[in-house]
Amino acid sequence: MSARTSRYESDALPTETVDAVVIGGGAAGLNGALVPARSRRSVVVIDSGTPRNAPAAAVHGFIVLDGTSPPEILRRGRRQVREYGGRIVLGEVATAGPAAPSAEGDPRFTVTLTDGRTLTARRVLVATGLRDVLPEVPGLAEHWGHSVVPCPYCHGYEVRDEPIGILATGPASVHHAWLFRQLTDDLVYFTRGTGLDSGTRARFAARAIRVIETDVREVVTEQGALAGVRLTDGTFVGRRILAVATRMRARTEGLEGLRLPVEDLPDNMGRRIASAMAGATGVPGVWVAGNATDLTAQVGASAAAGALAGSHINAVPAAADTDAALAAARKATG
């Protein structure tokens, strides 16, 4: 799914080498910038202004900020990063890759934006998020983030007691059914050609989940609202909400030069950037946080992952700076 673009005042891109560049200005990226900025690191966030959750009315499941709109959370986050000296640059990354290290062997990276501007940084945090890939069902995409929802924890309470349909995309949709059944007594499972074993069918029957095998031809909209789906045999099934387990793919455009390790998840669920403790990627000097590596993380979890990665982005150079200072002192006393 393509995200809406949000516009705001952009800071100037520094010409000097900075301690860290954060690629992505969502919850993970902004929290990942905030932590090292508070340790007086020079930090630049490169933000395309296309957050994944832009269509959503509010963020949920995040204590204190539950019910706050995504644009408001990001506005506050940018302001707070700037209060500690961080810069937020509205732009898209064209290329990113390693540059010649310092004389002491400390890593350097060059990031080039699509408008030709460049930035050099000692460390990189990738917080680009992911892209949701919806099934190719006519009429589905126009309701994305409103009446077509991917997550019972992000949207579920708001759609409670509504007639809900699960548009199956694979094994993950069965798990979806159990979670959305908690929210409504009126749940229909559209198999869309995916298989259901006898055990699952029995469990569906026990929970009064209706199964429809006939394929879905299109989503029906009436007066701007989702009204239901029309099947390939012409039957109309009224539904107010459709739940879809999307295929999720980490946004990696422009990052090929970093040679980040990526991996496919089972059952065709998506592709993520592989990471270890605190978001370390296996590429020295590069971390990843948020949905680019944890495809199911909500806003709170993404922000926490950004904070952890940000603390390491401060701590690892601190050790390198100390090693360099010790080497210089020993050389001076010869």
Side-chain angles (χ1 to χ4, degrees):
M1 293 294 297
S2 59
R4 300 174 185 175
T5 301
S6 60
R7 296 291 173 183
Y8 53 85
E9 185 176 353
S10 176
D11 296 326
L13 196 70
T15 56
E16 70 278 7
T17 297
V18 298
D19 289 315
V21 59
V22 178
I23 304 174
L30 290 174
N31 224 27
L34 180 70
V35 170
R38 282 177 45 81
S39 286
R40 307 185 75 177
R41 293 290 182 186
S42 53
V43 182
V44 175
V45 177
I46 307 297
D47 177 27
S48 68
T50 55
R52 176 195 182 197
N53 61 0
V59 166
H60 294 288
F62 192 2
I63 193 70
V64 179
L65 294 176
D66 185 89
T68 308
S69 72
E72 175 62 15
I73 290 177
L74 298 181
R75 185 192 66 80
R76 294 185 199 177
R78 291 191 292 266
R79 173 177 56 78
Q80 290 170 345
V81 169
R82 285 166 167 156
E83 286 175 353
Y84 295 103
R87 300 193 189 192
I88 315 291
V89 176
L90 187 61
E92 294 189 30
V93 172
T95 63
S102 70
E104 298 78 22
D106 194 51
R108 294 290 185 272
F109 300 90
T110 298
V111 174
T112 302
L113 305 187
T114 54
D115 61 9
R117 291 179 294 169
T118 62
L119 175 71
T120 302
R122 298 176 64 188
R123 301 295 185 270
V124 177
L125 173 59
V126 175
T128 48
L130 62 82
R131 182 170 289 105
D132 290 287
V133 181
L134 284 171
E136 294 184 1
V137 177
L140 186 68
E142 66 186 81
H143 297 288
W144 174 244
H146 301 286
S147 301
V148 175
V149 299
C151 173
Y153 301 111
C154 302
H155 310 279
Y157 187 82
E158 286 64 43
V159 302
R160 66 194 183 282
D161 298 325
E162 293 280 6
I164 299 176
I166 305 286
L167 291 190
T169 58
S173 297
V174 173
H175 181 62
H176 245 182
W178 310 136
L179 299 179
F180 279 96
R181 180 61 180 83
Q182 179 68 22
L183 299 163
T184 184
D185 293 331
D186 187 355
L187 187 65
V188 174
Y189 190 91
F190 299 93
T191 62
R192 299 186 61 252
T194 61
L196 287 178
D197 59 36
S198 58
T200 300
R201 290 178 184 275
R203 291 164 71 85
F204 275 13
R207 295 302 306 274
I209 299 172
R210 180 184 172 196
V211 176
I212 293 182
E213 308 276 2
T214 307
D215 203 359
V216 174
R217 185 172 74 196
E218 62 181 353
V219 171
V220 178
T221 300
E222 294 180 356
Q223 297 181 342
L226 192 153
V229 301
R230 194 169 307 282
L231 307 181
T232 52
D233 64 4
T235 303
F236 172 77
V237 181
R239 297 287 90 184
R240 299 296 296 170
I241 302 295
L242 295 174
V244 183
T246 62
R247 186 159 51 91
M248 300 170 286
R249 299 183 65 87
R251 293 180 175 181
T252 58
E253 296 84 358
L255 306 181
E256 293 81 4
L258 294 174
R259 299 186 180 277
L260 298 172
V262 297
E263 60 184 12
D264 291 318
L265 297 185
D267 298 322
N268 200 32
M269 289 179 61
R271 169 172 288 191
R272 76 178 193 112
I273 299 173
S275 64
M277 186 183 73
T281 64
V283 178
V286 182
W287 283 260
V288 60
N291 285 147
T293 186
D294 186 352
L295 300 180
T296 61
Q298 294 176 259
V299 171
S302 293
L308 183 58
S311 68
H312 283 245
I313 285 172
N314 173 62
V316 173
D321 293 342
T322 302
D323 291 342
L326 178 60
R330 287 173 173 171
K331 183 177 181 180
T333 57

